Amino acid sequence: MLPWQDDNAIFFKLAHIQEPAGFLGKGVTGEGAYKYTAFFYYPIYLAVGYQPVYYFVLCFIMYGLSTFFVYKLASKVFNENSGMIAGFLYACGFIGSDSYIRLYNSVITSLSVILICVFLNYYWHYFKDRKIKWYVYSVFVFFLLAEFARARTHYFFAIPVLFEFIMLAFKKPLLKNLSFSILRVTPFLLIFYRYVIAADSRSKEAGNFIISLLQRDFYKLFGFLSSFSNLILPQWFLNIVSPASESQFPKNYFSNSIIFYLITIATILLVLYKLFVKYKKYRLYFAIFLVFTIIWKYISSVIFITPSLVVSSGQILVTFIGGELLFLAFLGVFLINRKHRALYFVIFSAVLINLLSYSAYNPTQIYEKINRYLSHSFLYITIFGSYLFYISQNKYRKLILIILVGWGLNNLIEGFFYQRNVITNRTNPVKIFYQDFQKLVKKIDKGDVIYFDVADDARGNFADAFSVA
């Protein structure tokens, strides 16, 4: 790997540590939402200068540590086997992988995952034995998250709120428990407001997003549902369903995509039939899902074909599948044992809340699988997968294990091909460019101006070598 786009700003910052360098702020620690971005690399710069391999080694070590913490969290909250599944799924990566292979995001993202795992572990301990020390530890770790990883945790206040009001508040005596829950979330609110909202304006967009939905601008769910599909579905399937070359605003939308709808619906229904049709109460949910599918097909065809969006039939299909998967997850709350429902809801809600926090300030943006904004949703989906294995009945456990391992291995393979593509088409051309450039120009003095004549087929490589987004 080599520095790319915003990574170049880090090296400028390291060489001019007191200067602001874009969004990084002044000084070693920096300022604002991207505080500490250069901080962890500064000792490497002082030791070895501009040798990228050492910077990427630090990123690799941090990713390994974050994987270990994911494994330990699921092991302690569920059991050892579930922890191994969570660690395996997270280690397979690919989803949100730009968070880890860009220097600009990598260390902070891994650090945020580590701190989230520690926070959730402490809060779980508090939930189990009500010892005040675990709550105090949780507040302290929440502060560390807000201080060191605020660019990736502008959604995180919702996590303790969810935990409190789903797991703790509505128990007898109701008034007492509800009052204590409000008191316990107050420190999190104060820290979040002081360190996150004040530093990152994106946190304020959630209110505007909710208001727009209340005003029936439902097309703004397009980015959220499409990104949710991207989070779950294999990339090869997404490429078949929504090819990049597909034309915009197709007149024959229904006829072009009906075969994919039928394949998708048939596959989901077959899985449901295999798992649930033997039991009478599950037949009701089977019928509910079928009715929802028919209604959702009509609704998605109406609200997402609008002048406010420039979309293809394939993109609408991906959005349709996102709605299907979301409804299936909702039905899952009723399909599992009652004692597991609260934690099921909390974990899956965490997946959605992170995604919604980014959709709120850019509702029509589809975040591709490798996008750094999906990294925390990926964390929660790996924990959710391990939880499904933990709560599954013995006769379904092997099937769920096969699905999870298959999903993880698919991500691992797709991640390999993605990184190979980065090396071949981004890293190597840039490396060759700078090698040639150093041969041609031995020295650059301050104030020199250099002009490049860039061929049309080299503009991408030229941008890779220089651009800072």
Side-chain angles (χ1 to χ4, degrees), residues 85-96:
I85 290 172
F88 164 76
L89 294 177
Y90 185 79
C92 286
F94 186 52
I95 300 173

Side-chain angles (χ1 to χ4, degrees), residues 15 35 50 104 133 144 177 189 227 268 291 301 311 324 327 354 366 407 415 419 422 455-456 469:
K35 195 176 183 181
Y50 299 104
Y104 199 88
K133 68 175 183 178
L144 294 179
N177 282 312
L189 174 61
S227 300
I268 293 172
V291 171
S301 302
V311 296
E324 293 276 274
F327 190 73
N354 174 67
I366 302 173
W407 187 71
Q419 291 180 45
V422 168
D456 288 339

Side-chain angles (χ1 to χ4, degrees), residues 163-207:
F163 203 93
E164 282 289 342
F165 290 97
I166 300 299
M167 304 287 291
L168 297 170
F170 294 100
K171 293 183 177 181
K172 295 180 180 180
L174 178 60
L175 187 59
K176 180 182 177 181
N177 282 312
L178 187 59
S179 301
F180 277 119
S181 286
I182 293 172
L183 285 174
R184 282 193 296 266
V185 300
T186 299
F188 299 122
L189 174 61
L190 296 175
I191 293 170
F192 184 75
Y193 183 82
R194 169 65 178 82
Y195 287 91
V196 180
I197 292 180
D200 193 343
S201 60
R202 290 176 296 188
S203 302
K204 303 172 184 177
E205 294 297 325

